[in-house]
Amino acid sequence: MNKILLTALLAGFIGTAGTTYAADNVQPSPCVQPGAAGPGDCRGYGTGPGARHARPFMKKALGLSESQEVKMTEMRKSFFQESSQVRQELKTLRHDLADESVRNKPDERKIADLSDRIGRQHTKLARLQSSHLRGLSTVLDHKQMETLLQMRDNMGHRGWKRG
């Protein structure tokens, strides 16, 4: 009796979720064009390796000069290029770990190996981030660096927390 009830509830939840998802995703919401100097689509405008300038709020918050802004942009591009391969490898390893973990008979040795490899990739990424911060500290003064670190600590998973 419990299995039948659970199956019926699960089917109802899946049906409701599918209908809700389909209703919300009929048409993508339009994005506001950033201007003539920005890319055609607004994904990543002002961020990531293709950014032409530091984010305006970051420039204002740190009080960056034009030369500091240019140097930070170059350093950010370099960091994204260096770290993208490590991040992609992490993504692949996490996917492989999840696949192995949900098998009927997971191989514990393979899980241990994948976990170790994920740890090594995190170590590489941490070293790249440390090197990047060390480089930024040569461009920014002490006060600007402290402000940047505070901004970084306040950053959430979906971007800068604003108010």
Side-chain angles (χ1 to χ4, degrees):
M1 180 70 176
N2 286 341
K3 288 182 183 180
I4 295 171
L5 181 62
L6 185 59
T7 305
L9 283 172
L10 184 59
F13 286 136
I14 291 172
T16 303
T19 304
T20 304
Y21 178 78
D24 286 346
N25 292 305
V26 173
Q27 192 175 40
S29 59
C31 82
V32 178
Q33 297 298 325
D41 64 350
C42 64
R43 290 174 289 151
Y45 183 69
T47 63
R52 292 180 53 166
H53 302 288
R55 296 178 181 156
F57 70 90
M58 183 182 285
K59 182 178 179 180
K60 183 179 178 184
L62 296 177
L64 298 176
S65 67
E66 290 299 319
S67 63
Q68 285 178 316
E69 181 183 10
V70 169
K71 288 178 186 175
M72 280 188 68
T73 301
E74 291 170 3
M75 294 174 86
R76 184 173 51 247
K77 285 180 184 180
S78 174
F79 173 70
F80 273 98
Q81 288 173 349
E82 292 172 7
S83 66
S84 65
Q85 183 179 4
V86 176
R87 291 179 197 275
Q88 183 59 44
E89 180 67 20
L90 265 171
K91 182 178 178 181
T92 302
L93 288 170
R94 285 186 192 123
H95 179 43
D96 293 347
L97 180 63
D99 283 348
E100 186 63 34
S101 296
V102 298
R103 289 179 188 255
N104 288 336
K105 294 183 181 179
D107 182 355
E108 294 299 325
R109 266 192 253 164
K110 188 172 183 180
I111 289 174
D113 178 55
L114 287 168
S115 299
D116 290 342
R117 289 172 58 194
I118 288 171
R120 286 192 295 272
Q121 291 300 317
H122 275 289
T123 301
K124 284 182 186 179
L125 187 57
R127 287 183 180 147
L128 286 172
Q129 289 170 336
S130 174
S131 176
H132 178 62
L133 287 173
R134 192 176 27 248
L136 286 175
S137 70
T138 63
V139 174
L140 303 175
D141 64 29
H142 181 73
K143 184 179 177 187
Q144 289 172 322
M145 198 66 206
E146 288 295 320
T147 304
L148 178 68
L149 291 175
Q150 286 176 353
M151 290 170 70
R152 197 187 103 193
D153 289 343
N154 292 333
M155 192 170 103
H157 291 292
R158 295 182 180 240
W160 299 98
K161 293 181 181 176
R162 296 184 180 127

